Amino acid sequence: MTYILLAITAGIAAGYLCRRQTIVKYTGSLLSVVIMLLLFLLGISVGSNNQVINNFTAIGLDAFILTAGGTLGSLFGAKWAYKKFFTTK
């Protein structure tokens, strides 16, 4: 956990120091690519786990409900935050 907090702190410091550099313009695109790569690797990990695959029917509905709830909650939360903090009235 300490390494994660240190990595986040180092990223904040690097972003602050490089905020006027042109590389900052590409961080959004790079972040999207990295997140897609992480999701792909997570899919490989789940797909290669025999215990998960063998119990997929038992955990399928629960996993779907949790996934759908988390996704919908994130979408509604993001929409609310956008309206609340990023739009002018």
Side-chain angles (χ1 to χ4, degrees):
M1 184 67 170
T2 304
Y3 294 116
I4 294 171
L5 293 175
L6 287 173
I8 291 171
T9 305
I12 291 170
Y16 181 76
L17 294 173
C18 298
R19 67 185 179 275
R20 293 196 173 109
Q21 304 296 323
T22 57
I23 194 167
V24 177
K25 294 178 184 178
Y26 303 108
T27 56
S29 301
L30 182 61
L31 185 60
S32 294
V33 170
V34 170
I35 288 173
M36 287 183 231
L37 179 64
L38 286 172
L39 289 172
F40 177 74
L41 293 173
L42 178 64
I44 290 174
S45 176
V46 169
S48 65
N49 188 335
N50 287 332
Q51 188 176 5
V52 172
I53 298 300
N54 292 336
N55 294 319
F56 200 67
T57 55
I59 62 173
L61 182 60
D62 292 338
F64 175 75
I65 291 170
L66 287 172
T67 302
T71 302
L72 288 173
S74 294
L75 288 173
F76 287 127
K79 185 176 180 179
W80 174 82
Y82 181 77
K83 285 183 177 180
K84 176 86 172 159
F85 299 111
F86 298 105
T87 58
T88 57
K89 293 182 182 179

